[in-house]
Amino acid sequence: IKAGFVQELEAGLRLHPMTAEAIFKGYLEACKVVVKSDLPCLPLRLQAEACENVGLNTELARILETAQFSHEDPEAMLRWDTLAGGERGVQRSAGVGWSLWTLGREEEALKLLFETAARPNLSPDDRLSIYKNMVWVLAQKHDFAEAKKVETLAEPYLTGATLEGAGRFLNNLFLLYFELGD
C-alpha cells in the first residue's frame, strides 16, 4: 500500500490499475487460473468484472444466466453480453432486454423481451415474470395498446402458473387499469 502497488478502498484492497495491467499482460494465463478458482468467493458483480478483466468469456456467460445487472449497471450488462458471445439463455436475454430499456432503447428492448417470453419450454411462471415487468413499464409509459397486448399474451399462462407467479403478474397488471381509470 505504501509503495502504491495496492490501493485501499472502503470495500477492501485492490491492485493499482497500472500494476494490474502489467500483471495481466505478463501473466494472463496464470491470472485466469487464479480468477477461475476464486470466483465462488466473490459476489456476482465482482465475478463478472474479474471474468471481463482476464477474458473468461465462458464463465462470464454463465454468470449472466444467473444474475441480471440491468438496473445496477445496464452498460456493463450489454458490454458483458457482447464479450460472452454465444447464444443467450432466458435470464441473460431478459437482462439484455431490460438493460436496453433502461438505456432508452425501448423498441429494441421490447422486441427482445417479446422474443424471450415466446421461447419454447418456458414455464408459465417464467413467462409471467417477463410479462409482469413489461406490462408495468408499458402502463407507466401510457403505452396502453402494447400493455394490453402483453396482457393478452400472458392470460393463457395464468392457469398453469403457481399462485405466486400469477399473483405477481396480476399485481403489476393492476397498474394498466389504474392508469386507464378503470
Side-chain angles (χ1 to χ4, degrees), residues 12-29:
L13 303 174
R14 77 167 184 179
L15 286 175
H16 186 282
M18 287 177 50
T19 305
E21 184 179 330
I23 291 171
F24 290 154
K25 280 185 179 177
Y27 303 97
L28 183 60
E29 291 308 312

Side-chain angles (χ1 to χ4, degrees), residues 35 38-47 50:
V35 167
D38 289 348
L39 278 180
C41 303
L42 299 172
L44 288 171
R45 166 79 188 203
L46 292 179
Q47 286 184 31

Side-chain angles (χ1 to χ4, degrees), residues 90 116-132 153-170:
V90 173
T116 303
R119 286 185 181 190
N121 302 324
L122 281 186
S123 72
D125 278 9
D126 288 340
R127 281 186 216 286
L128 290 177
S129 179
I130 296 169
Y131 287 145
K132 79 176 174 65
L153 289 169
E155 192 173 355
Y157 301 103
L158 288 170
T159 56
T162 63
L163 291 176
E164 183 178 347
R168 288 176 188 253
F169 174 77
L170 293 171

Side-chain angles (χ1 to χ4, degrees), residues 129-140:
S129 179
I130 296 169
Y131 287 145
K132 79 176 174 65
N133 293 327
M134 291 174 72
V135 79
W136 183 267
V137 297
L138 290 167
Q140 279 184 325

Side-chain angles (χ1 to χ4, degrees), residues 64-153:
L64 296 179
E65 288 300 338
T66 61
Q68 289 189 11
F69 303 99
S70 54
H71 297 296
E72 182 182 340
D73 191 347
E75 290 95 354
M77 179 72 193
L78 295 180
R79 185 177 67 248
W80 293 334
D81 174 63
T82 300
L83 288 173
E87 288 191 39
R88 296 179 186 132
V90 173
Q91 294 301 318
R92 179 174 158 197
S93 188
V96 169
W98 290 115
S99 293
L100 292 168
W101 181 274
T102 302
L103 295 172
R105 295 164 58 183
E106 295 172 4
E107 191 173 310
E108 190 178 353
L110 285 177
K111 181 180 184 296
L112 179 57
L113 291 167
F114 277 122
E115 288 171 0
T116 303
R119 286 185 181 190
N121 302 324
L122 281 186
S123 72
D125 278 9
D126 288 340
R127 281 186 216 286
L128 290 177
S129 179
I130 296 169
Y131 287 145
K132 79 176 174 65
N133 293 327
M134 291 174 72
V135 79
W136 183 267
V137 297
L138 290 167
Q140 279 184 325
K141 191 178 173 221
H142 290 187
D143 190 344
F144 302 129
E146 281 294 305
K148 285 280 200 179
K149 177 180 171 184
V150 171
E151 177 186 20
T152 302
L153 289 169

